[in-house]
Amino acid sequence: MKIRTITTGISLESPTDSARIQQAAQFNTQAQQELETQGYEVQTTRISTQSFEQYLPGYTLFEILDNLQKLEEICQALNLDFFNIGHAKTPELISVIPAILKRTEKIFCSSTIGNLQDGINFESLQASAQTIHRISTETVNGFGNFRFCAAANCPPGIPFFPASYHQGESAFSIGLECADLLTEAFSKSRSLIEAETNLTEIYAEHLIKLEAITSKLAQEFQIFYQGIDASLAPSLDKTNSIAYAYEQLGLGKFGHSGTLAISALITRVIKKISVKLCGYSGLMLPVCEDIGLAKRASEGTYNLTDLLLYSSVCGCGLDTVPLPGNISVEQIEAILLDVASLAIKLDKPLSARLFPIPGKQAGEMTEFNSPYLVECKIFNPQPSRNPSR
């Protein structure tokens, strides 16, 4: 099991509050060193803030961009690669995001499109669809959408980006990368019952040990510990694909019948581990971050609608889903409506990180050339159904 991220949340008084940012960066470094001493590989450390509208109140577009470019310079000076400025709630602020991402490299952010208390925010949802479309045309190869998502019913304290945002006193949380645990558990299982037992034992052993270390860190550095986002997140490692782990249980390829049941099993295990959980704490199925998921998507064993179905019993929604460059704003809006409706109906955090690829059609291959993503055939946003016979 690897640590995908140590994420520290802070509340800024201004975007140039470099002292507080530096303090968070120092804690991240110390926490990383301690976890590595304990034998863990820590892939990234990250900093997340409250919504940027709170430290840029009433600013004009030019003032927002100017201040966030100064924040980017602070990140560069401190060698920070992942910095999240929180979420935007209003259509006016959401519409600024393409310009922010175009002018920065290290800044991530999200929009809020609904929650359980208030329902779907249709104006913000429409603005988010427009923003995804604009980012795809206004950033190189549309890759700016890697740093943006539309989020529904997402709480503060999620360690994973781009949905992460913070509220209150400084705090930290841990995000995992643990497809290897799934592979280990399922490789020696001959039934779903045995798979659940094996995964529970393996997961509990690792998470309880990790929490003992993180709780000690919280006490030592006098910082609030929000918990572990125990989401089963994938790896780019070819030997530890989530999709391939599913297939070890003998129910066919990922996307075939049984995929929903296995997804529910995994989430059930995560929710019953006796550690402090935070964030999504479910199953993540980011299409372009797992070689097996990308391969099965390219083979057509599952589609966009299937991913939404799996989200009803597990993970974080739609993540790193490649879409054709000519997708309309209305089609993106429809996808976000489904995600928000599901999140609110089931009272669970879901988000959508969608990748319209400029100049590419459904069925063509992506050309990310990115260390963070694997190549995949582009999804059809409206997959056809075979007529009944």
Side-chain angles (χ1 to χ4, degrees), residues 161-162 284-289 316-321 351-354:
F161 282 22
M284 289 188 172
L285 298 173
V287 177
C288 291
E289 290 184 349
C316 65
L318 301 177
D319 197 19
T320 66
V321 176
S351 55
R353 184 161 50 156
L354 307 176

Side-chain angles (χ1 to χ4, degrees), residues 57 71 125 141 163 167 183 230 256 264 275 318 322 337 376 382:
L71 178 57
L125 188 146
N141 296 323
Q167 285 181 356
T183 300
H256 290 173
V275 297
L318 301 177
L337 279 169
C376 179
Q382 295 181 322

Side-chain angles (χ1 to χ4, degrees), residues 67 75 94 99 159 302 334:
N67 277 279
C75 292
I94 294 170
Y302 69 97

Side-chain angles (χ1 to χ4, degrees), residues 35-51:
L35 284 164
E36 289 177 343
T37 298
Q38 297 294 329
Y40 292 96
E41 178 182 333
V42 179
Q43 293 190 326
T44 66
T45 63
R46 310 177 185 188
I47 297 174
S48 187
T49 74
Q50 77 272 41
S51 172

Side-chain angles (χ1 to χ4, degrees), residues 57-92:
Y59 282 35
T60 64
L61 170 60
F62 176 80
E63 290 169 333
I64 290 173
L65 295 178
D66 182 57
N67 277 279
L68 291 182
Q69 283 180 309
K70 293 176 182 177
L71 178 57
E72 172 92 358
E73 292 170 2
I74 293 172
C75 292
Q76 291 173 343
L78 294 174
N79 292 317
L80 306 179
D81 290 324
F82 297 88
F83 194 98
N84 202 311
I85 58 173
H87 59 255
K89 292 182 178 180
T90 65
E92 294 76 18

Side-chain angles (χ1 to χ4, degrees), residues 1 28 50 123 135 164 218 299 313 320 336 354 378:
M1 185 183 73
N28 280 347
Q50 77 272 41
E123 290 185 349
I135 292 171
S164 180
E299 293 172 352
V313 297
T320 66
L336 298 185
L354 307 176
I378 294 169

